[in-house]
Amino acid sequence: MKTKQIERRQFIETVSLGTIGAVVTSNVPANGSILTGNNDAGKLAILGGNPIVKNKVWPAWPYVDEKVIEKIIAVTKSGKWCRIDNFKEGTVATFEREFARLIGVKTCVATGSGTQALNSVVEALGIGPGDEVITSPYTDMGTIASILVSRALPVMADVDKESFQIDPTDVERKITNNTKAIMPVHMMGQACDMKSIMQIAKKNNLKVIEDACQAHLAVYKGKTLGTIGDAGCFSFQSSKTISCGEGGGIISNDDKLIDDCYTVQNHGTNRQGRSVTIGSKYRMNELEGAILLGQLAGAKERFETRNKNAVYLTSKLKDFPGLRPQKLYEGTESGSFYLYTMTYDKKYFNDAPRDKFLKAIAAEGISLSPYIPNGLHREPWTDHIISLNSYKKMYSSDRLKQFKEDLNLPNCDQVCENMIMFWASGPLLATQSDMDDVINAIMKVYENRDNLSLI
Ligand SMILES: *Cc1c(COP(=O)(O)O)cnc(C)c1O
């Protein structure tokens, strides 16, 4: 029990007195335990105690204000709903310019989704049947789909257990003669180990397509995510930190590449009106552009608020081994904090499975949850593609056999099992005292860890 006491004390030291005051200070006896007697304030809500917060309302997401609504109405009334109706001054064209300016690049090409943005880059780089792209299994299916729809092979590299990001060592191991690109995914909106990834790409002459779909405005080593590789892609799907329902954007400092991306997403028709290549129609419409323009105002301020709250949460948790915040790589200056994530370590919770911890904390009025239930290497698409005639023609049976064998990704499995997240697009816009509620709830469940077996 001695070690438990020490851990607990260390944690309390990290949680400022002001923070835990409201809940436990008056109840903490001299010996430091709050688990004595009939202390109702200390009793888990799920076992009949009082919750830390009741009916808490977090800032809503997606963000809406009068400006957003006015812009939608104006476009609706104008009857110009397609970007080609107002090629230069429409909402999509204006958004492309404004978003590029915010990021600090010359041009942005808007698309109908993040998946479409990624696929436009894959196509524009000429990646297709027979080619391989190395990416992470710990991502949104859109990442994988953007490679599959071009009939290339998405090769999975395992992730780092603490950062949840693609592991550069495993990326290097999975390079073959057919590898054309690496698609690193900045999970939760924090940077991957881009220093190592860029070195590997350079050494092996590979393109880098940054999946920054969760990482709007985040900065790593002085560079905004999405500007480090050959191209960067964003999603503006409802849940993302800049959103319009469904939408996407591509940025690049390579003029030819970004021009080619425009052509691909415009069914192969270039800005001069000539139909020159293969491409689907992925254009963003003017209503989506209107919402994005409304969202863009204030996006930087909201980004900063999320960062401030994330830094605060991390400062409170930094010496608490039971819930370790996502590891950030050296050079991370700010993050997008689409989600605020932690690794749950049950050995500090009396071996209670994650599920019981989540139930207990939900009863305290704080909603934390798992994220992706399993790595995408565990989804049926892997068997589907190797059964397809098209894949059998393009990849040797040995290659497809190896592809299957390489889907043993234990770190990803472990991350899926132990990760806990706090939705951040809206909730991280709350106040510091709201963050204290989160910490208090974690603290209270931790204090009561011996009772988690009763749930
Ligand atoms: C959301 C997301 C995508 C796909 O974007 P959509 O706009 O939903 O198509 C791709 N990658 C990651 C990491 C995402 O979070």
Side-chain angles (χ1 to χ4, degrees):
M1 288 306 98
K2 186 129 200 222
T3 51
K4 261 193 188 168
Q5 288 283 347
I6 291 166
E7 286 151 16
R8 185 183 164 278
R9 196 158 305 130
Q10 282 172 342
F11 181 40
I12 287 183
E13 277 164 15
T14 69
V15 179
S16 79
L17 277 178
T19 309
I20 59 169
V23 186
V24 293
T25 301
S26 58
N27 299 316
V28 178
N31 69 6
S33 171
I34 63 163
L35 295 178
T36 49
N38 313 317
N39 185 341
D40 226 29
K43 190 174 181 183
L44 286 176
I46 199 164
L47 298 174
N50 292 322
I52 294 278
V53 286
K54 275 191 190 135
N55 308 321
K56 195 167 186 66
V57 179
W58 295 94
W61 199 261
Y63 176 84
V64 183
D65 63 14
E66 283 308 309
K67 272 207 198 101
V68 176
I69 295 165
E70 276 167 24
K71 284 188 159 51
I72 299 168
I73 293 172
V75 171
T76 307
K77 285 183 176 164
S78 78
K80 293 181 175 172
W81 295 354
C82 168
R83 70 171 295 168
I84 60 170
D85 294 337
N86 194 353
F87 209 81
K88 286 223 166 76
E89 301 305 326
T91 57
V92 175
T94 309
F95 171 74
E96 287 176 336
R97 282 195 297 271
E98 295 281 309
F99 188 68
R101 198 171 52 85
L102 193 62
I103 299 271
V105 287
K106 264 191 280 182
T107 331
C108 164
V109 169
T111 60
S113 71
T115 307
Q116 294 174 0
L118 287 163
N119 180 246
S120 299
V121 180
V122 168
E123 281 290 327
L125 287 171
I127 296 169
D131 296 335
E132 302 179 15
V133 178
I134 302 175
T135 191
S136 171
Y138 193 64
T139 183
D140 181 271
M141 191 56 197
T143 311
I144 314 286
S146 77
I147 301 164
L148 289 175
V149 296
S150 289
R151 300 300 188 271
L153 187 67
V155 174
M156 310 278 104
D158 208 354
V159 298
D160 175 271
K161 274 192 286 196
E162 300 295 323
S163 69
F164 320 139
Q165 311 284 13
I166 193 167
D167 173 10
T169 316
D170 205 36
V171 169
E172 196 152 29
R173 206 178 292 135
K174 302 237 158 109
I175 294 172
T176 72
N177 288 336
N178 294 322
T179 307
K180 292 291 184 307
I182 307 171
M183 193 181 280
V185 186
H186 303 298
M187 284 306 277
M188 329 306 171
Q190 327 324 322
C192 294
D193 178 1
M194 285 308 284
K195 185 171 167 225
S196 307
I197 288 168
M198 293 310 290
Q199 276 167 359
I200 293 166
K202 199 161 176 216
K203 197 168 102 191
N204 295 279
N205 197 22
L206 302 175
K207 299 289 183 189
V208 174
I209 307 165
E210 290 180 72
D211 180 339
C213 284
Q214 301 186 354
H216 320 74
L217 310 183
V219 178
Y220 167 85
K221 291 185 190 283
K223 289 186 171 170
T224 307
L225 293 186
T227 67
I228 302 168
D230 293 272
C233 296
F234 298 89
S235 166
F236 306 119
Q237 183 268 345
S238 280
S239 65
K240 307 295 160 81
T241 60
I242 297 176
S243 60
C244 66
E246 300 284 2
I250 309 159
I251 55 167
S252 175
N253 283 313
D254 178 337
D255 290 344
K256 167 147 187 351
L257 179 60
I258 199 81
D259 242 25
D260 289 348
C261 288
Y262 178 87
T263 304
V264 167
Q265 65 83 45
N266 191 35
H267 50 46
T269 303
N270 65 19
R271 289 189 192 272
Q272 292 73 42
R274 300 309 302 269
S275 298
V276 292
T277 189
I278 301 170
S280 190
K281 191 173 160 213
Y282 288 159
R283 291 197 305 238
M284 178 180 277
N285 71 51
E286 289 287 293
L287 287 154
E288 290 162 335
I291 300 176
L292 283 174
L293 278 178
Q295 281 247 334
L296 218 47
K300 184 90 185 154
E301 288 74 15
R302 287 191 285 278
F303 170 83
E304 276 155 15
T305 304
R306 287 189 200 96
N307 269 273
K308 192 170 79 86
N309 280 326
V311 166
Y312 183 74
L313 284 175
T314 300
S315 75
K316 297 295 171 194
L317 291 171
K318 79 177 183 335
D319 296 320
F320 176 51
L323 273 181
R324 291 188 303 279
Q326 177 185 18
K327 180 184 119 186
L328 306 180
Y329 286 103
E330 193 217 316
T332 299
E333 291 171 28
S334 55
S336 196
F337 292 102
Y338 168 60
L339 309 171
Y340 183 90
T341 54
M342 301 154 277
T343 300
Y344 175 73
D345 195 338
K346 69 177 181 185
K347 82 172 174 284
Y348 296 98
F349 286 90
N350 198 24
D351 274 339
R354 176 178 66 173
D355 202 38
K356 289 198 176 186
F357 169 83
L358 290 174
K359 277 188 188 146
I361 204 150
E364 298 302 334
I366 298 294
S367 177
L368 301 179
S369 61
Y371 184 37
I372 296 164
N374 53 256
L376 297 177
H377 60 296
R378 295 200 171 273
E379 291 293 314
W381 67 268
T382 59
D383 285 326
H384 175 67
I385 64 165
I386 63 178
S387 76
L388 288 177
N389 277 334
S390 55
Y391 273 78
K392 283 187 196 155
K393 273 185 205 151
M394 295 302 165
Y395 304 88
S396 71
S397 59
D398 279 354
R399 180 63 189 104
L400 293 178
K401 199 163 144 243
Q402 186 69 45
F403 166 75
K404 270 303 276 183
E405 280 169 18
D406 283 347
L407 297 178
N408 174 28
L409 306 166
N411 288 356
C412 180
D413 295 339
Q414 210 174 312
V415 168
C416 291
E417 207 180 303
N418 300 327
M419 212 270 265
I420 284 182
M421 71 164 197
F422 177 54
W423 272 113
S425 293
L428 265 200
L429 298 175
T431 63
Q432 186 164 306
S433 114
D434 293 319
M435 299 303 116
D436 288 339
D437 288 341
V438 176
I439 296 294
N440 282 336
I442 292 170
M443 177 70 184
K444 186 176 165 191
V445 176
Y446 175 68
E447 286 287 343
N448 285 277
R449 61 196 174 283
D450 292 345
N451 293 336
L452 287 173
S453 56
L454 304 175
I455 295 172

